[in-house]
Amino acid sequence: MNVGLSQPPENPSSLSPVSPSPVLDLNTSLHITVLLDEAVDALAIKPAGIYVDGTFGRGGHSRRILERLGEQGRLIALDRDIAAVAAASAIQDARFRIVHSPFAAIGEVLGDLGIGKVDGVLLDLGISSPQIDEGDRGFSFRFDGPLDMRMDQSRGQTAAQFIAEATEQQLTGVIKNYGEERFAKQIARAIVAARTGGDAITTTGQLAKIVAGAVPKIEPGQDPATRTFQALRIFINQELKELEVALPQCVSLLAAGGRLAVISFHSLEDRIVKRFIRGEQDRDDLPANFPVMAKDLPQPRMITVGKAIKPGASEIRRNPRSRSAVLRVAERTAVA
Ligand SMILES: C[S@@+](CC[C@H](N)C(=O)[O-])C[C@H]1O[C@@H](n2cnc3c(N)ncnc32)[C@H](O)[C@@H]1O
């Protein structure tokens, strides 16, 4: 974890904040923030509150949170992508701090900063447009680039390394479980055959070609490599694990009345968020028909706020990448 760039004041309340700057950062325009108003409204910002944006990206949500915070408020933003952390240097605001870290380390990051409780956490999952649109990052089959796919390029295994070393069974499991791909077996077999034939698979173009050749039936409107690329990206970045590790920490970190807002982009993520909130809300760890007075039942630590929110037609028209987004919101109760 690297704490970097906009440095926090020693005592934030003792410094007058720079007014939230509407500085136009070129990086901002590269990513269109999804459900901007909905997600920030969901946090029910208290002017003097402490908030965490666990997925800074290009800071669309962070900037809006800063606009709503007062002089005493603080915003801690995290991103595991060094390019996102660098983009955050455009925000010169004493109330703001960026930390290079996966959000699964949210508890440790806040502990290091001496912060016990926060009033809201936002997670806008998945990848940003600059990540997808830069061929060099290796996330997209639309460009031929190195098969990397790491959000944090300073550590971990690249997709090319995984593909070079994984067994056919491991490849099938990843492509099936994280890509929900019907033809996972055929794709894994084709990858192993290409590898065994002496071709190291090191570029997105090579992989996309192998997948296209292995998929017997191409779904109209979708590139045959879509699901395989999604699967590898989720696996390489351990995206579901990150979420599973972060959510319970958020419950412990939120002050009573604090809000958790999570934007998911596919059903695997959304299922984890939905089940987690439901599990916290129901807390039915007692057997059914257990003879106990209602007042003695375990009380929920989180309560769902409203229904799942999806982008409207006009947002989807403006930003087609928002079409699969789902925002879920929950509020921390006073129960310990
Ligand atoms: C959809 S973008 C966020 C966009 C941002 N809300 C905005 O308005 O610009 C997701 C960002 O979260 C980061 N990210 C994804 N998973 C992460 C994780 N587990 N820990 C930290 N950052 C993560 C990605 O690197 C990417 O920059």
Side-chain angles (χ1 to χ4, degrees):
M1 173 194 10
N2 286 323
V3 176
L5 300 174
S6 296
Q7 295 301 311
E10 283 301 307
N11 172 4
S13 59
S14 69
L15 294 178
S16 39
V18 178
S19 59
S21 141
V23 175
L24 191 62
D25 163 24
L26 277 181
N27 278 311
T28 317
S29 57
L30 298 175
H31 180 85
I32 306 175
T33 298
V34 172
L35 292 170
L36 174 58
D37 288 322
E38 292 85 346
V40 179
D41 287 350
L43 291 174
I45 304 279
K46 296 176 187 144
I50 304 178
Y51 292 85
V52 179
D53 178 354
T55 49
F56 179 81
R58 288 301 177 273
H61 288 113
S62 277
R63 286 178 172 79
R64 184 59 59 86
I65 293 169
L66 285 166
E67 280 169 17
R68 297 205 186 162
L69 281 177
E71 294 189 3
Q72 308 296 322
R74 285 183 76 180
L75 172 64
I76 315 302
L78 275 53
D79 206 294
R80 49 157 53 163
D81 185 341
I82 292 166
V85 173
S89 63
I91 302 182
Q92 292 296 320
D93 187 321
R95 302 166 303 168
F96 175 74
R97 180 154 190 164
I98 181 79
V99 182
H100 179 221
S101 169
F103 58 64
I106 184 171
E108 191 189 332
V109 169
L110 295 178
D112 287 350
L113 295 174
I115 295 171
K117 295 280 177 198
V118 297
D119 299 290
V121 178
L122 171 67
L123 300 176
D124 176 15
L125 303 172
I127 44 180
S128 64
S129 295
Q131 288 169 329
I132 313 171
D133 294 338
E134 272 175 33
D136 272 4
R137 301 299 302 263
F139 284 110
S140 176
F141 45 79
R142 289 185 294 118
F143 314 100
D144 195 15
L147 198 50
D148 189 325
M149 292 199 189
R150 289 169 303 164
M151 290 185 197
D152 183 351
Q153 292 185 299
S154 69
R155 70 189 81 182
Q157 187 183 37
T158 66
Q161 285 164 339
F162 171 64
I163 279 182
E165 290 159 17
T167 62
E168 185 175 323
Q169 205 180 8
Q170 285 169 328
L171 286 165
T172 305
V174 166
I175 298 169
K176 187 167 178 225
N177 296 333
Y178 299 141
E180 299 177 295
E181 168 65 70
R182 287 187 285 160
F183 304 115
K185 252 187 180 166
Q186 290 90 324
I187 295 168
R189 199 174 305 142
I191 290 172
V192 172
R195 210 170 67 178
T196 316
D199 290 340
I201 305 163
T202 55
T203 68
T204 51
Q206 276 175 294
L207 179 63
K209 207 165 147 200
I210 293 166
V211 175
V215 171
K217 201 167 145 215
I218 294 182
E219 289 173 38
Q222 193 180 64
D223 190 287
T226 305
R227 292 172 183 277
T228 301
F229 271 65
Q230 173 191 297
L232 288 170
R233 192 201 90 203
I234 292 174
F235 173 75
I236 290 298
N237 295 289
Q238 291 291 299
E239 292 179 33
L240 305 183
K241 181 90 185 161
E242 278 282 312
L243 192 54
E244 283 165 351
V245 172
L247 291 174
Q249 293 179 63
C250 293
V251 178
S252 308
L253 291 165
L254 283 168
R259 293 278 180 95
L260 172 67
V262 186
I263 304 174
S264 307
F265 287 86
H266 55 75
S267 56
L268 298 172
E269 288 168 343
D270 186 48
R271 198 176 308 148
I272 292 172
V273 177
K274 189 167 71 180
R275 285 189 181 159
F276 178 79
I277 295 175
R278 215 176 261 164
E280 281 293 331
Q281 179 156 307
D282 294 346
R283 290 195 82 187
D284 52 2
D285 27 26
L286 292 174
N289 304 326
F290 193 82
V292 61
M293 303 279 286
K295 71 176 178 47
D296 295 329
L297 281 169
Q299 296 301 303
R301 296 187 301 174
M302 298 291 285
I303 302 272
T304 304
V305 177
K307 291 190 172 160
I309 297 170
K310 297 182 179 177
S314 68
E315 176 163 1
I316 295 174
R317 241 188 335 270
R318 220 170 353 102
N319 179 15
R321 282 180 181 165
S322 69
R323 66 186 173 278
S324 52
V326 182
L327 166 65
R328 292 190 188 271
V329 185
E331 185 171 303
R332 183 75 167 88
T333 66
V335 173

